[in-house]
Amino acid sequence: MLTPQPASPNVSARLARQSSKDTAPELALRRELHRRGRRFRVHLRPLQGLRRTADIVFPRHRVAVFVDGCFWHRCPEHGSDPKNNSAWWDAKLRRNVERDRETDRILEDSGWTAVRVWEHEAVDAAADRVEQRLDESSRTVPYS
Ligand SMILES: [Zn+2]
């Protein structure tokens, strides 16, 4: 499928941002988690053989964090459907969301916890949620 020409500077900016790593919301979350004493890996495939990269990974806790862009992952508050090439966009964004849900399912089937954070979320709330999942996951691991 051919990529249509962006219809506006706004769409061009979104395109440029699509696969970028180290976005501002991601960096802010990493900084906050680090400040709280959490240590993690970044841009890592949680599962061998699964071609999906998580933004923040806690291998020992088996927690994978994805910071999702509101446009690309169709945030309920800020997701929008471009008017130009609407069928193409609809198919593309729908595939993104399906892929997200599939990734979550595969990770959870493998004993991982997937945490989804929207780029619009306040960093404190996002970090709280990540830490909550970390605490939950350490409780489920038996002490040896
Ligand atoms: Zn949003």
Side-chain angles (χ1 to χ4, degrees):
M1 207 181 294
L2 290 173
T3 303
Q5 287 301 302
S8 70
N10 193 22
V11 171
S12 300
R14 286 167 177 166
L15 280 170
R17 277 203 305 269
Q18 178 178 26
S19 60
S20 59
K21 301 286 180 196
D22 302 323
T23 59
E26 191 186 321
L27 287 173
L29 180 58
R30 275 157 52 183
R31 210 160 28 237
E32 176 61 19
L33 289 166
H34 198 268
R35 197 186 62 77
R36 296 182 183 196
R38 299 294 185 168
R39 297 299 177 260
F40 45 81
R41 308 278 305 275
V42 299
H43 306 151
L44 200 69
R45 289 181 185 176
L47 292 180
Q48 297 279 336
L50 178 67
R51 296 188 54 190
R52 310 281 162 92
T53 304
D55 296 313
I56 302 172
V57 178
F58 297 86
R60 203 170 55 80
H61 294 82
R62 294 189 169 204
V63 169
V65 181
F66 300 84
V67 181
D68 289 342
C70 293
F71 173 73
W72 291 103
H73 300 268
R74 284 197 157 157
C75 154
E77 289 174 48
H78 310 107
S80 61
D81 297 310
K83 297 288 176 282
N84 288 66
N85 307 110
S86 60
W88 184 88
W89 279 110
D90 185 59
K92 173 157 188 69
L93 297 177
R94 195 197 312 260
R95 271 198 310 276
N96 284 354
V97 174
E98 285 170 1
R99 187 180 155 91
D100 293 342
R101 296 295 80 79
E102 186 193 48
T103 302
D104 293 352
R105 200 166 52 240
I106 292 169
L107 285 173
E108 275 160 30
D109 286 350
S110 308
W112 281 71
T113 301
V115 182
R116 295 274 166 184
V117 172
W118 289 114
E119 68 173 338
H120 72 252
E121 283 189 67
V123 67
D124 275 335
D128 285 350
R129 207 159 78 246
V130 171
E131 289 204 297
Q132 189 187 333
R133 307 316 291 271
L134 290 172
D135 293 345
E136 286 167 7
S137 82
S138 49
R139 275 204 297 276
T140 62
V141 177
Y143 291 100
S144 54

